[in-house]
């Protein structure tokens, strides 16, 4: 039985290109192929928390360019490779080996072949900006709602009551933005959240944006810290805000400095749903210069 190694990932370091060896080819149900490399700059979509869309690009081979149409997370257990939505475990589960699967159409490179992996730089830049904006907006939202709590609850990376962590339902990164959906129901109210804090959404937006404007005008560094270089290695987003360093667990890609940000805006929308309120925050980012 051929042993497929865990994929070494270089996207946390901002890499867009790299030379790699093909270690496995998996036929996919739709007729396409999944190419597993020993190392890759491609960021795959995480099956358990699919907030950031996958990178696309090309694998350059001796026979020509092979377009990468999607990039998925794969897991190997007892010699079997399970890909994407079929993966039954979370990243890092003991007994599993995790790999990046590059989805290609047509002739795939052969196992053992060396290829040059090239990520689409425009999409990567747009998603990296959107993911950074998402983290900053969530921290600014927590800060703006800090006085809405009547009980002590867990705090976020900046020390404010963690509304984002406690109420988040879905988070989706988009090019130069994100959409985060929160649910405020009986459980959150029992924890001490006062829903009257959502009574004036334009005023809440203004407070969030004022915080974001202060951060965007600073020059704090942004980086990814990681324990190891494999796909399953724990990674975190670090950002030097004016009030201090914050760190959030994150497997995505990001900007490298707050100085790259021109402006950050948010739009809030609240709707009554069965059992509570659904709050949607749409964040947009423009880059400086």
């Amino acid at each position: 039985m051929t042993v497929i190694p865990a994929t070494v990932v270089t996207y946390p370091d901002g890499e867009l290109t790299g030379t790699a060896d093909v270690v496995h080819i998996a036929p996919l149900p739709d007729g396409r192929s999944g190419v597993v490399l020993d190392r890759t700059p491609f960021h795959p979509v995480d099956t358990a928390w699919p907030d950031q869309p996958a990178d696309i690009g090309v694998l350059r081979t001796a026979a020509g360019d092979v377009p990468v149409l999607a990039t998925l997370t794969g897991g190997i257990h007892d010699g079997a490779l399970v890909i994407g939505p079929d993966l039954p475990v979370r990243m890092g589960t003991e007994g599993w080996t995790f790999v990046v699967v590059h989805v290609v159409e047509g002739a795939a490179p052969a196992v053992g072949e060396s290829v040059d992996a090239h990520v689409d730089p425009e999409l990567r830049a747009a998603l990296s900006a959107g993911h950074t904006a998402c983290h900053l907006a969530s921290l600014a939202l927590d800060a703006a709602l800090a006085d809405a709590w009547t009980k002590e609850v867990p705090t976020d990376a900046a020390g404010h009551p963690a509304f984002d962590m406690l109420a988040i339902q879905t988070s989706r990164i988009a090019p130069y933005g994100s959409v985060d959906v929160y649910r405020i129901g009986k459980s959150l109210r029992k924890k001490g959240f006062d829903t009257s804090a959502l009574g004036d959404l334009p005023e809440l937006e203004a407070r969030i944006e004022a915080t974001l404007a202060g951060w965007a005008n600073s020059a704090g560094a942004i980086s990814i810290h990681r324990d190891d270089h494999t796909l399953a290695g724990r990674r975190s987003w670090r950002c030097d805000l004016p009030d201090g360093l914050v760190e959030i667990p994150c497997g995505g890609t990001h900007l490298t400095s707050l100085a790259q940000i021109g402006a950050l805006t948010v739009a809030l929308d609240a709707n009554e749903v069965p059992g509570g309120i659904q709050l949607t925050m749409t964040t947009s980012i423009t880059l400086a210069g």
Side-chain angles (χ1 to χ4, degrees):
M1 180 177 63
T2 301
V3 177
I4 305 172
T7 306
V8 171
V9 292
T10 61
Y11 60 81
D13 303 317
E15 295 294 327
L16 293 166
T17 63
T19 300
D21 293 331
V22 179
V23 296
H24 185 73
I25 302 293
L28 302 179
D30 60 6
R32 299 185 294 180
S33 299
V35 179
V36 181
L37 306 175
D38 63 340
R39 60 191 300 114
T40 185
F42 280 77
H43 175 271
V45 64
D46 188 298
T47 304
W49 187 250
D51 56 345
Q52 180 171 334
D55 283 331
I56 59 173
V58 298
L59 301 180
R60 292 184 175 162
T61 74
D65 286 359
V66 179
V68 176
L69 308 178
T71 316
L72 305 175
T73 298
I76 303 164
H77 184 64
D78 290 338
L81 173 61
V82 186
I83 301 172
D86 294 328
L87 191 61
V89 296
R90 298 182 69 87
M91 187 83 73
T93 299
E94 188 175 351
W96 287 73
T97 299
F98 294 89
V99 297
V100 176
V101 181
H102 308 75
V103 179
V104 303
E105 197 167 41
V111 172
E113 185 175 351
S114 178
V115 301
D116 289 327
H118 289 256
V119 173
D120 182 317
E122 293 185 1
L123 179 61
R124 165 69 70 79
L127 293 175
S128 295
H131 207 148
T132 297
C134 179
H135 285 333
L136 293 172
S138 71
L139 291 169
L141 174 64
D142 285 352
L145 292 174
D147 293 335
W149 299 87
T150 61
K151 300 178 183 179
E152 287 192 9
V153 293
T155 55
D156 66 16
H160 296 115
F163 174 84
D164 177 84
M165 180 186 73
L166 295 169
I168 191 72
Q169 294 294 292
T170 62
S171 180
R172 294 293 181 267
I173 310 302
Y176 299 106
S178 64
V179 178
D180 294 276
V181 179
Y182 304 94
R183 187 178 187 281
I184 301 94
K186 184 178 181 181
S187 174
L188 203 68
R189 293 194 298 271
K190 280 188 173 182
K191 288 182 172 69
F193 184 77
D194 182 357
T195 57
S196 67
L198 305 177
D200 189 344
L201 293 184
E203 191 273 337
L204 184 57
E205 289 173 353
R207 282 192 285 136
I208 294 169
E209 290 182 350
T211 298
L212 293 172
W215 293 345
N217 287 329
S218 68
I222 299 170
S223 63
I224 299 296
H225 172 76
R226 54 178 171 165
D227 295 336
D228 65 51
H229 288 74
T230 64
L231 176 61
R234 292 182 180 274
R235 294 182 290 278
S236 59
W237 174 82
R238 290 180 174 177
C239 182
D240 191 8
L241 294 177
D243 291 333
L245 182 71
V246 296
E247 183 168 353
I248 297 173
C250 181
T253 65
H254 291 277
L255 300 177
T256 58
S257 172
L258 293 172
Q260 295 173 268
I261 301 172
L264 281 160
T265 59
V266 297
L268 298 175
D269 181 62
N271 295 288
E272 295 285 343
V273 295
I277 300 169
Q278 178 174 287
L279 177 70
T280 301
M281 179 169 68
T282 302
T283 304
S284 300
I285 182 173
T286 58
L287 300 183

